[in-house]
Amino acid sequence: MLTFNSNIAESLCAKIFEFLTENQLDKYHIVAQSYDGASVMSGKFNGVQSKVKNKFLYAIYTHCMAHRMNFVVIDMCTILKETRIVFNTIESLYKHFSHLTKNKTLVTMQRKLGIKISKINSLSDTRWSCRWKNCESVINNYEAIIAVLQEEIDNQLDRNVNEAIGILSIMQKGSFVVFLFVLQHVLCSINILSNKFQDKAATLGEAANLINSVILSFENARSTMGFSDLWLDIKPFVIKMMLN
């Protein structure tokens, strides 16, 4: 982890001023600045934001909106019981299939079922898209994962078979599948918004329009009709897995 160093902040600040001068922007009044929460950037006494503000008095510092939104997502995934169950299970899947032999068996099963080979990654608080990608990966590989876990349990060759039993029992619950689809839907929209926030060519107007669109989509999804649309994806999925 990077420790705070005023010399680093000074160097970064010098680069910012150099860029402003080269692009003839230093003569304008800078009224805002935004970075992540690292102390070297956000420190109120010796951080970059304070040094910029010494020169541009009205350059108000705002924590990076993409970073702040990610904090909200992390809190949501931690606080809500239903999301904790889903992501704790996904983390267990990651650990379970991180073993070389188990991962090889999963890949073999993916090929057998004609599923695009993909893996489940560790959850990270800094890789913002990992939760959405993992939800999508579990949905796409659900059949293969269930088959491999069931084989482990039937063969009883691994002393850690209880781990497979525990994961399988959770994944086969209807509530797990429903929340998995709901989270994939919600996090997909948030990921689109996060990418827009990080787009160097993005404008404030475009971001505002997208924010409003995402909020509206969430409001619609909370309605009976909105969930009915999502249910049209969930129901055939569950039926297919039950028949298999």
Side-chain angles (χ1 to χ4, degrees):
M1 182 177 180
L2 182 65
T3 55
F4 180 78
N5 187 321
S6 59
N7 290 332
I8 295 176
E10 196 72 55
S11 298
L12 289 171
C13 201
K15 281 292 182 183
I16 291 173
F17 292 152
E18 181 182 325
F19 174 84
L20 293 174
T21 301
E22 287 176 354
N23 291 275
Q24 299 181 345
L25 295 172
D26 56 325
K27 59 185 177 181
Y28 296 101
H29 294 293
I30 307 300
V31 297
Q33 50 181 324
S34 180
Y35 321 109
D36 63 23
S39 57
V40 70
M41 304 302 296
S42 65
K44 62 174 64 177
F45 298 111
N46 289 308
V48 169
Q49 69 104 350
S50 69
K51 295 181 183 299
V52 170
K53 202 169 182 180
N54 286 337
K55 183 171 182 178
F56 300 100
L57 184 61
Y58 301 105
I60 299 171
Y61 163 68
T62 303
H63 196 138
C64 166
M65 293 304 294
H67 204 200
R68 289 171 67 180
M69 187 171 65
N70 187 56
F71 287 149
V72 173
V73 172
I74 292 171
D75 286 346
M76 180 271 291
C77 295
T78 304
I79 294 172
L80 296 179
K81 177 184 175 182
E82 293 79 6
T83 56
R84 279 206 311 273
I85 291 172
V86 170
F87 288 112
N88 285 344
T89 304
I90 289 176
E91 188 68 18
S92 295
L93 281 171
Y94 162 73
K95 292 176 182 177
H96 190 78
F97 289 108
S98 63
H99 297 284
L100 187 60
T101 53
K102 289 185 173 67
N103 184 63
K104 186 177 179 180
T105 304
L106 179 60
V107 170
T108 301
M109 183 61 70
Q110 288 171 331
R111 287 176 177 150
K112 179 181 177 181
L113 296 173
I115 297 172
K116 182 180 178 180
I117 296 174
S118 61
K119 62 180 181 178
I120 298 165
N121 295 305
S122 177
L123 298 177
S124 169
D125 289 347
T126 55
R127 283 186 285 109
W128 301 348
S129 64
C130 69
R131 285 170 175 75
W132 164 64
K133 287 183 177 179
N134 274 336
C135 286
E136 189 171 67
S137 181
V138 172
I139 290 172
N140 293 337
N141 291 282
Y142 187 90
E143 186 178 1
I145 293 170
I146 295 297
V148 171
L149 291 174
Q150 192 63 63
E151 272 190 8
E152 287 183 34
I153 296 167
D154 292 342
N155 295 332
Q156 295 279 324
L157 296 176
D158 195 317
R159 63 182 179 180
N160 295 322
V161 70
N162 285 339
E163 183 178 74
I165 293 172
I167 296 173
L168 183 63
S169 66
I170 294 174
M171 288 188 65
Q172 289 184 319
K173 290 180 179 179
S175 58
F176 175 86
V177 175
V178 171
F179 287 121
L180 180 65
F181 270 81
V182 170
L183 284 167
Q184 192 276 338
H185 176 75
V186 170
L187 294 175
C188 180
S189 297
I190 291 176
N191 186 65
I192 293 171
L193 187 56
S194 178
N195 288 337
K196 173 57 70 174
F197 283 162
Q198 298 174 70
D199 185 356
K200 293 181 180 179
T203 65
L204 190 59
E206 290 173 344
N209 288 335
L210 187 55
I211 289 170
N212 291 329
S213 297
V214 170
I215 292 173
L216 182 61
S217 71
F218 286 161
E219 290 175 347
N220 291 334
R222 289 169 66 91
S223 67
T224 302
M225 185 176 294
F227 185 76
S228 295
D229 292 338
L230 184 59
W231 185 251
L232 292 176
D233 293 329
I234 298 173
K235 187 176 179 180
F237 178 88
V238 172
I239 291 173
K240 177 185 176 183
M241 294 307 142
M242 287 176 63
L243 291 176
N244 291 337

PDB file of all heavy atoms in Angstrom, residues 116-144:
ATOM      1  N   LYS A 116     -18.561 -21.752 -23.240  1.00  0.00           N
ATOM      2  CA  LYS A 116     -17.347 -20.958 -23.413  1.00  0.00           C
ATOM      3  C   LYS A 116     -16.518 -21.002 -22.135  1.00  0.00           C
ATOM      4  O   LYS A 116     -17.024 -20.765 -21.040  1.00  0.00           O
ATOM      5  CB  LYS A 116     -17.700 -19.501 -23.737  1.00  0.00           C
ATOM      6  CG  LYS A 116     -16.483 -18.626 -23.987  1.00  0.00           C
ATOM      7  CD  LYS A 116     -16.895 -17.195 -24.307  1.00  0.00           C
ATOM      8  CE  LYS A 116     -15.664 -16.308 -24.508  1.00  0.00           C
ATOM      9  NZ  LYS A 116     -16.041 -14.912 -24.821  1.00  0.00           N
ATOM     10  N   ILE A 117     -15.253 -21.327 -22.280  1.00  0.00           N
ATOM     11  CA  ILE A 117     -14.385 -21.474 -21.114  1.00  0.00           C
ATOM     12  C   ILE A 117     -14.127 -20.116 -20.469  1.00  0.00           C
ATOM     13  O   ILE A 117     -13.655 -19.175 -21.109  1.00  0.00           O
ATOM     14  CB  ILE A 117     -13.048 -22.130 -21.519  1.00  0.00           C
ATOM     15  CG1 ILE A 117     -13.296 -23.554 -22.019  1.00  0.00           C
ATOM     16  CG2 ILE A 117     -12.081 -22.148 -20.337  1.00  0.00           C
ATOM     17  CD1 ILE A 117     -12.075 -24.238 -22.580  1.00  0.00           C
ATOM     18  N   SER A 118     -14.470 -20.021 -19.220  1.00  0.00           N
ATOM     19  CA  SER A 118     -14.213 -18.803 -18.441  1.00  0.00           C
ATOM     20  C   SER A 118     -14.036 -19.205 -16.991  1.00  0.00           C
ATOM     21  O   SER A 118     -14.435 -20.302 -16.594  1.00  0.00           O
ATOM     22  CB  SER A 118     -15.364 -17.799 -18.582  1.00  0.00           C
ATOM     23  OG  SER A 118     -16.569 -18.363 -18.103  1.00  0.00           O
ATOM     24  N   LYS A 119     -13.446 -18.343 -16.211  1.00  0.00           N
ATOM     25  CA  LYS A 119     -13.182 -18.692 -14.820  1.00  0.00           C
ATOM     26  C   LYS A 119     -13.790 -17.660 -13.878  1.00  0.00           C
ATOM     27  O   LYS A 119     -14.145 -16.546 -14.273  1.00  0.00           O
ATOM     28  CB  LYS A 119     -11.681 -18.793 -14.576  1.00  0.00           C
ATOM     29  CG  LYS A 119     -10.912 -17.498 -14.802  1.00  0.00           C
ATOM     30  CD  LYS A 119      -9.424 -17.698 -14.540  1.00  0.00           C
ATOM     31  CE  LYS A 119      -8.643 -16.393 -14.741  1.00  0.00           C
ATOM     32  NZ  LYS A 119      -7.214 -16.559 -14.451  1.00  0.00           N
ATOM     33  N   ILE A 120     -13.913 -18.072 -12.635  1.00  0.00           N
ATOM     34  CA  ILE A 120     -14.405 -17.185 -11.582  1.00  0.00           C
ATOM     35  C   ILE A 120     -13.193 -16.577 -10.894  1.00  0.00           C
ATOM     36  O   ILE A 120     -12.239 -17.282 -10.547  1.00  0.00           O
ATOM     37  CB  ILE A 120     -15.257 -17.967 -10.571  1.00  0.00           C
ATOM     38  CG1 ILE A 120     -16.479 -18.552 -11.278  1.00  0.00           C
ATOM     39  CG2 ILE A 120     -15.688 -17.085  -9.412  1.00  0.00           C
ATOM     40  CD1 ILE A 120     -17.183 -19.610 -10.484  1.00  0.00           C
ATOM     41  N   ASN A 121     -13.210 -15.276 -10.738  1.00  0.00           N
ATOM     42  CA  ASN A 121     -12.074 -14.576 -10.142  1.00  0.00           C
ATOM     43  C   ASN A 121     -12.350 -14.218  -8.687  1.00  0.00           C
ATOM     44  O   ASN A 121     -13.499 -14.192  -8.243  1.00  0.00           O
ATOM     45  CB  ASN A 121     -11.770 -13.300 -10.939  1.00  0.00           C
ATOM     46  CG  ASN A 121     -11.318 -13.607 -12.346  1.00  0.00           C
ATOM     47  OD1 ASN A 121     -10.372 -14.354 -12.557  1.00  0.00           O
ATOM     48  ND2 ASN A 121     -12.011 -13.049 -13.334  1.00  0.00           N
ATOM     49  N   SER A 122     -11.290 -13.925  -7.984  1.00  0.00           N
ATOM     50  CA  SER A 122     -11.430 -13.496  -6.593  1.00  0.00           C
ATOM     51  C   SER A 122     -12.118 -12.139  -6.541  1.00  0.00           C
ATOM     52  O   SER A 122     -11.912 -11.298  -7.415  1.00  0.00           O
ATOM     53  CB  SER A 122     -10.051 -13.400  -5.935  1.00  0.00           C
ATOM     54  OG  SER A 122     -10.153 -12.915  -4.617  1.00  0.00           O
ATOM     55  N   LEU A 123     -12.954 -11.954  -5.525  1.00  0.00           N
ATOM     56  CA  LEU A 123     -13.611 -10.658  -5.361  1.00  0.00           C
ATOM     57  C   LEU A 123     -12.603  -9.644  -4.865  1.00  0.00           C
ATOM     58  O   LEU A 123     -11.773  -9.941  -4.005  1.00  0.00           O
ATOM     59  CB  LEU A 123     -14.772 -10.778  -4.361  1.00  0.00           C
ATOM     60  CG  LEU A 123     -15.893 -11.728  -4.772  1.00  0.00           C
ATOM     61  CD1 LEU A 123     -16.939 -11.811  -3.669  1.00  0.00           C
ATOM     62  CD2 LEU A 123     -16.544 -11.271  -6.070  1.00  0.00           C
ATOM     63  N   SER A 124     -12.670  -8.463  -5.417  1.00  0.00           N
ATOM     64  CA  SER A 124     -11.720  -7.408  -5.063  1.00  0.00           C
ATOM     65  C   SER A 124     -12.458  -6.099  -4.862  1.00  0.00           C
ATOM     66  O   SER A 124     -13.424  -5.800  -5.557  1.00  0.00           O
ATOM     67  CB  SER A 124     -10.676  -7.255  -6.177  1.00  0.00           C
ATOM     68  OG  SER A 124      -9.904  -6.095  -5.995  1.00  0.00           O
ATOM     69  N   ASP A 125     -11.998  -5.313  -3.877  1.00  0.00           N
ATOM     70  CA  ASP A 125     -12.606  -4.007  -3.623  1.00  0.00           C
ATOM     71  C   ASP A 125     -12.081  -2.945  -4.574  1.00  0.00           C
ATOM     72  O   ASP A 125     -12.603  -1.827  -4.624  1.00  0.00           O
ATOM     73  CB  ASP A 125     -12.333  -3.565  -2.186  1.00  0.00           C
ATOM     74  CG  ASP A 125     -13.122  -4.391  -1.176  1.00  0.00           C
ATOM     75  OD1 ASP A 125     -14.045  -5.108  -1.604  1.00  0.00           O
ATOM     76  OD2 ASP A 125     -12.807  -4.331   0.024  1.00  0.00           O
ATOM     77  N   THR A 126     -11.033  -3.275  -5.344  1.00  0.00           N
ATOM     78  CA  THR A 126     -10.452  -2.286  -6.256  1.00  0.00           C
ATOM     79  C   THR A 126     -10.750  -2.594  -7.726  1.00  0.00           C
ATOM     80  O   THR A 126     -10.750  -1.692  -8.545  1.00  0.00           O
ATOM     81  CB  THR A 126      -8.925  -2.195  -6.060  1.00  0.00           C
ATOM     82  OG1 THR A 126      -8.346  -3.501  -6.202  1.00  0.00           O
ATOM     83  CG2 THR A 126      -8.601  -1.660  -4.675  1.00  0.00           C
ATOM     84  N   ARG A 127     -10.966  -3.882  -8.047  1.00  0.00           N
ATOM     85  CA  ARG A 127     -11.375  -4.221  -9.409  1.00  0.00           C
ATOM     86  C   ARG A 127     -12.891  -4.119  -9.448  1.00  0.00           C
ATOM     87  O   ARG A 127     -13.611  -5.047  -9.118  1.00  0.00           O
ATOM     88  CB  ARG A 127     -10.875  -5.617  -9.788  1.00  0.00           C
ATOM     89  CG  ARG A 127      -9.406  -5.648 -10.126  1.00  0.00           C
ATOM     90  CD  ARG A 127      -8.943  -7.000 -10.629  1.00  0.00           C
ATOM     91  NE  ARG A 127      -8.821  -7.975  -9.561  1.00  0.00           N
ATOM     92  CZ  ARG A 127      -9.625  -8.998  -9.403  1.00  0.00           C
ATOM     93  NH1 ARG A 127     -10.646  -9.183 -10.224  1.00  0.00           N
ATOM     94  NH2 ARG A 127      -9.460  -9.840  -8.417  1.00  0.00           N
ATOM     95  N   TRP A 128     -13.393  -2.977  -9.865  1.00  0.00           N
ATOM     96  CA  TRP A 128     -14.791  -2.610  -9.670  1.00  0.00           C
ATOM     97  C   TRP A 128     -15.768  -3.484 -10.431  1.00  0.00           C
ATOM     98  O   TRP A 128     -16.919  -3.619 -10.036  1.00  0.00           O
ATOM     99  CB  TRP A 128     -14.992  -1.142 -10.038  1.00  0.00           C
ATOM    100  CG  TRP A 128     -14.132  -0.241  -9.220  1.00  0.00           C
ATOM    101  CD1 TRP A 128     -13.425  -0.575  -8.091  1.00  0.00           C
ATOM    102  CD2 TRP A 128     -13.859   1.137  -9.452  1.00  0.00           C
ATOM    103  NE1 TRP A 128     -12.746   0.505  -7.613  1.00  0.00           N
ATOM    104  CE2 TRP A 128     -12.982   1.578  -8.433  1.00  0.00           C
ATOM    105  CE3 TRP A 128     -14.266   2.034 -10.422  1.00  0.00           C
ATOM    106  CZ2 TRP A 128     -12.526   2.886  -8.349  1.00  0.00           C
ATOM    107  CZ3 TRP A 128     -13.804   3.342 -10.348  1.00  0.00           C
ATOM    108  CH2 TRP A 128     -12.938   3.762  -9.323  1.00  0.00           C
ATOM    109  N   SER A 129     -15.339  -4.066 -11.533  1.00  0.00           N
ATOM    110  CA  SER A 129     -16.270  -4.848 -12.350  1.00  0.00           C
ATOM    111  C   SER A 129     -16.302  -6.322 -11.964  1.00  0.00           C
ATOM    112  O   SER A 129     -17.071  -7.088 -12.541  1.00  0.00           O
ATOM    113  CB  SER A 129     -15.894  -4.727 -13.833  1.00  0.00           C
ATOM    114  OG  SER A 129     -14.606  -5.297 -14.060  1.00  0.00           O
ATOM    115  N   CYS A 130     -15.497  -6.729 -10.975  1.00  0.00           N
ATOM    116  CA  CYS A 130     -15.354  -8.158 -10.690  1.00  0.00           C
ATOM    117  C   CYS A 130     -16.651  -8.792 -10.208  1.00  0.00           C
ATOM    118  O   CYS A 130     -16.937  -9.947 -10.524  1.00  0.00           O
ATOM    119  CB  CYS A 130     -14.227  -8.403  -9.683  1.00  0.00           C
ATOM    120  SG  CYS A 130     -14.554  -7.815  -8.007  1.00  0.00           S
ATOM    121  N   ARG A 131     -17.465  -8.058  -9.451  1.00  0.00           N
ATOM    122  CA  ARG A 131     -18.711  -8.642  -8.944  1.00  0.00           C
ATOM    123  C   ARG A 131     -19.696  -8.922 -10.069  1.00  0.00           C
ATOM    124  O   ARG A 131     -20.323  -9.979 -10.119  1.00  0.00           O
ATOM    125  CB  ARG A 131     -19.330  -7.725  -7.883  1.00  0.00           C
ATOM    126  CG  ARG A 131     -18.592  -7.789  -6.568  1.00  0.00           C
ATOM    127  CD  ARG A 131     -19.030  -6.719  -5.586  1.00  0.00           C
ATOM    128  NE  ARG A 131     -18.376  -6.907  -4.308  1.00  0.00           N
ATOM    129  CZ  ARG A 131     -17.101  -6.616  -4.065  1.00  0.00           C
ATOM    130  NH1 ARG A 131     -16.345  -6.106  -5.016  1.00  0.00           N
ATOM    131  NH2 ARG A 131     -16.563  -6.829  -2.878  1.00  0.00           N
ATOM    132  N   TRP A 132     -19.833  -7.965 -10.984  1.00  0.00           N
ATOM    133  CA  TRP A 132     -20.716  -8.176 -12.125  1.00  0.00           C
ATOM    134  C   TRP A 132     -20.200  -9.318 -12.997  1.00  0.00           C
ATOM    135  O   TRP A 132     -20.968 -10.201 -13.400  1.00  0.00           O
ATOM    136  CB  TRP A 132     -20.819  -6.887 -12.956  1.00  0.00           C
ATOM    137  CG  TRP A 132     -21.389  -7.121 -14.318  1.00  0.00           C
ATOM    138  CD1 TRP A 132     -22.645  -7.557 -14.616  1.00  0.00           C
ATOM    139  CD2 TRP A 132     -20.691  -6.993 -15.564  1.00  0.00           C
ATOM    140  NE1 TRP A 132     -22.792  -7.686 -15.982  1.00  0.00           N
ATOM    141  CE2 TRP A 132     -21.606  -7.349 -16.587  1.00  0.00           C
ATOM    142  CE3 TRP A 132     -19.410  -6.599 -15.919  1.00  0.00           C
ATOM    143  CZ2 TRP A 132     -21.265  -7.329 -17.934  1.00  0.00           C
ATOM    144  CZ3 TRP A 132     -19.070  -6.576 -17.261  1.00  0.00           C
ATOM    145  CH2 TRP A 132     -19.994  -6.933 -18.244  1.00  0.00           C
ATOM    146  N   LYS A 133     -18.911  -9.318 -13.297  1.00  0.00           N
ATOM    147  CA  LYS A 133     -18.335 -10.355 -14.152  1.00  0.00           C
ATOM    148  C   LYS A 133     -18.467 -11.738 -13.517  1.00  0.00           C
ATOM    149  O   LYS A 133     -18.713 -12.732 -14.215  1.00  0.00           O
ATOM    150  CB  LYS A 133     -16.866 -10.044 -14.438  1.00  0.00           C
ATOM    151  CG  LYS A 133     -16.671  -8.883 -15.406  1.00  0.00           C
ATOM    152  CD  LYS A 133     -15.200  -8.658 -15.718  1.00  0.00           C
ATOM    153  CE  LYS A 133     -15.021  -7.544 -16.731  1.00  0.00           C
ATOM    154  NZ  LYS A 133     -13.589  -7.289 -17.023  1.00  0.00           N
ATOM    155  N   ASN A 134     -18.312 -11.814 -12.190  1.00  0.00           N
ATOM    156  CA  ASN A 134     -18.431 -13.101 -11.517  1.00  0.00           C
ATOM    157  C   ASN A 134     -19.873 -13.609 -11.523  1.00  0.00           C
ATOM    158  O   ASN A 134     -20.114 -14.805 -11.677  1.00  0.00           O
ATOM    159  CB  ASN A 134     -17.917 -13.003 -10.084  1.00  0.00           C
ATOM    160  CG  ASN A 134     -16.415 -13.218 -10.001  1.00  0.00           C
ATOM    161  OD1 ASN A 134     -15.817 -13.851 -10.860  1.00  0.00           O
ATOM    162  ND2 ASN A 134     -15.785 -12.684  -8.973  1.00  0.00           N
ATOM    163  N   CYS A 135     -20.836 -12.706 -11.342  1.00  0.00           N
ATOM    164  CA  CYS A 135     -22.242 -13.109 -11.419  1.00  0.00           C
ATOM    165  C   CYS A 135     -22.548 -13.670 -12.807  1.00  0.00           C
ATOM    166  O   CYS A 135     -23.199 -14.714 -12.945  1.00  0.00           O
ATOM    167  CB  CYS A 135     -23.163 -11.921 -11.127  1.00  0.00           C
ATOM    168  SG  CYS A 135     -23.244 -11.439  -9.390  1.00  0.00           S
ATOM    169  N   GLU A 136     -22.068 -12.971 -13.818  1.00  0.00           N
ATOM    170  CA  GLU A 136     -22.293 -13.413 -15.204  1.00  0.00           C
ATOM    171  C   GLU A 136     -21.604 -14.742 -15.468  1.00  0.00           C
ATOM    172  O   GLU A 136     -22.157 -15.630 -16.131  1.00  0.00           O
ATOM    173  CB  GLU A 136     -21.777 -12.350 -16.172  1.00  0.00           C
ATOM    174  CG  GLU A 136     -22.158 -12.618 -17.620  1.00  0.00           C
ATOM    175  CD  GLU A 136     -21.835 -11.446 -18.521  1.00  0.00           C
ATOM    176  OE1 GLU A 136     -20.636 -11.155 -18.697  1.00  0.00           O
ATOM    177  OE2 GLU A 136     -22.777 -10.814 -19.037  1.00  0.00           O
ATOM    178  N   SER A 137     -20.398 -14.911 -14.921  1.00  0.00           N
ATOM    179  CA  SER A 137     -19.642 -16.140 -15.121  1.00  0.00           C
ATOM    180  C   SER A 137     -20.336 -17.334 -14.472  1.00  0.00           C
ATOM    181  O   SER A 137     -20.397 -18.423 -15.060  1.00  0.00           O
ATOM    182  CB  SER A 137     -18.224 -15.985 -14.558  1.00  0.00           C
ATOM    183  OG  SER A 137     -17.460 -17.153 -14.764  1.00  0.00           O
ATOM    184  N   VAL A 138     -20.885 -17.132 -13.269  1.00  0.00           N
ATOM    185  CA  VAL A 138     -21.583 -18.224 -12.578  1.00  0.00           C
ATOM    186  C   VAL A 138     -22.850 -18.614 -13.335  1.00  0.00           C
ATOM    187  O   VAL A 138     -23.160 -19.800 -13.486  1.00  0.00           O
ATOM    188  CB  VAL A 138     -21.933 -17.830 -11.124  1.00  0.00           C
ATOM    189  CG1 VAL A 138     -22.825 -18.886 -10.478  1.00  0.00           C
ATOM    190  CG2 VAL A 138     -20.659 -17.674 -10.296  1.00  0.00           C
ATOM    191  N   ILE A 139     -23.578 -17.610 -13.853  1.00  0.00           N
ATOM    192  CA  ILE A 139     -24.788 -17.899 -14.645  1.00  0.00           C
ATOM    193  C   ILE A 139     -24.421 -18.695 -15.898  1.00  0.00           C
ATOM    194  O   ILE A 139     -25.056 -19.711 -16.212  1.00  0.00           O
ATOM    195  CB  ILE A 139     -25.504 -16.591 -15.033  1.00  0.00           C
ATOM    196  CG1 ILE A 139     -26.134 -15.942 -13.791  1.00  0.00           C
ATOM    197  CG2 ILE A 139     -26.587 -16.853 -16.083  1.00  0.00           C
ATOM    198  CD1 ILE A 139     -26.705 -14.558 -14.031  1.00  0.00           C
ATOM    199  N   ASN A 140     -23.397 -18.250 -16.612  1.00  0.00           N
ATOM    200  CA  ASN A 140     -22.998 -18.914 -17.857  1.00  0.00           C
ATOM    201  C   ASN A 140     -22.427 -20.308 -17.612  1.00  0.00           C
ATOM    202  O   ASN A 140     -22.530 -21.188 -18.475  1.00  0.00           O
ATOM    203  CB  ASN A 140     -21.968 -18.068 -18.605  1.00  0.00           C
ATOM    204  CG  ASN A 140     -22.554 -16.764 -19.127  1.00  0.00           C
ATOM    205  OD1 ASN A 140     -23.762 -16.656 -19.320  1.00  0.00           O
ATOM    206  ND2 ASN A 140     -21.707 -15.771 -19.340  1.00  0.00           N
ATOM    207  N   ASN A 141     -21.798 -20.511 -16.441  1.00  0.00           N
ATOM    208  CA  ASN A 141     -21.144 -21.791 -16.141  1.00  0.00           C
ATOM    209  C   ASN A 141     -21.891 -22.614 -15.105  1.00  0.00           C
ATOM    210  O   ASN A 141     -21.357 -23.603 -14.599  1.00  0.00           O
ATOM    211  CB  ASN A 141     -19.710 -21.534 -15.644  1.00  0.00           C
ATOM    212  CG  ASN A 141     -18.801 -21.009 -16.731  1.00  0.00           C
ATOM    213  OD1 ASN A 141     -18.326 -21.762 -17.568  1.00  0.00           O
ATOM    214  ND2 ASN A 141     -18.563 -19.715 -16.727  1.00  0.00           N
ATOM    215  N   TYR A 142     -23.109 -22.201 -14.805  1.00  0.00           N
ATOM    216  CA  TYR A 142     -23.877 -22.846 -13.730  1.00  0.00           C
ATOM    217  C   TYR A 142     -23.988 -24.357 -13.955  1.00  0.00           C
ATOM    218  O   TYR A 142     -23.724 -25.150 -13.038  1.00  0.00           O
ATOM    219  CB  TYR A 142     -25.270 -22.219 -13.662  1.00  0.00           C
ATOM    220  CG  TYR A 142     -26.098 -22.672 -12.482  1.00  0.00           C
ATOM    221  CD1 TYR A 142     -26.056 -21.978 -11.270  1.00  0.00           C
ATOM    222  CD2 TYR A 142     -26.939 -23.775 -12.587  1.00  0.00           C
ATOM    223  CE1 TYR A 142     -26.824 -22.388 -10.187  1.00  0.00           C
ATOM    224  CE2 TYR A 142     -27.698 -24.196 -11.500  1.00  0.00           C
ATOM    225  CZ  TYR A 142     -27.649 -23.501 -10.313  1.00  0.00           C
ATOM    226  OH  TYR A 142     -28.413 -23.921  -9.241  1.00  0.00           O
ATOM    227  N   GLU A 143     -24.356 -24.745 -15.155  1.00  0.00           N
ATOM    228  CA  GLU A 143     -24.547 -26.172 -15.450  1.00  0.00           C
ATOM    229  C   GLU A 143     -23.253 -26.959 -15.241  1.00  0.00           C
ATOM    230  O   GLU A 143     -23.254 -28.054 -14.663  1.00  0.00           O
ATOM    231  CB  GLU A 143     -25.040 -26.339 -16.891  1.00  0.00           C
ATOM    232  CG  GLU A 143     -25.403 -27.762 -17.256  1.00  0.00           C
ATOM    233  CD  GLU A 143     -25.925 -27.890 -18.683  1.00  0.00           C
ATOM    234  OE1 GLU A 143     -25.985 -26.853 -19.389  1.00  0.00           O
ATOM    235  OE2 GLU A 143     -26.266 -29.011 -19.078  1.00  0.00           O
ATOM    236  N   ALA A 144     -22.139 -26.401 -15.710  1.00  0.00           N
ATOM    237  CA  ALA A 144     -20.849 -27.079 -15.579  1.00  0.00           C
ATOM    238  C   ALA A 144     -20.422 -27.157 -14.116  1.00  0.00           C
ATOM    239  O   ALA A 144     -19.915 -28.193 -13.655  1.00  0.00           O
ATOM    240  CB  ALA A 144     -19.787 -26.348 -16.395  1.00  0.00           C
TER     241      ALA A 144
END
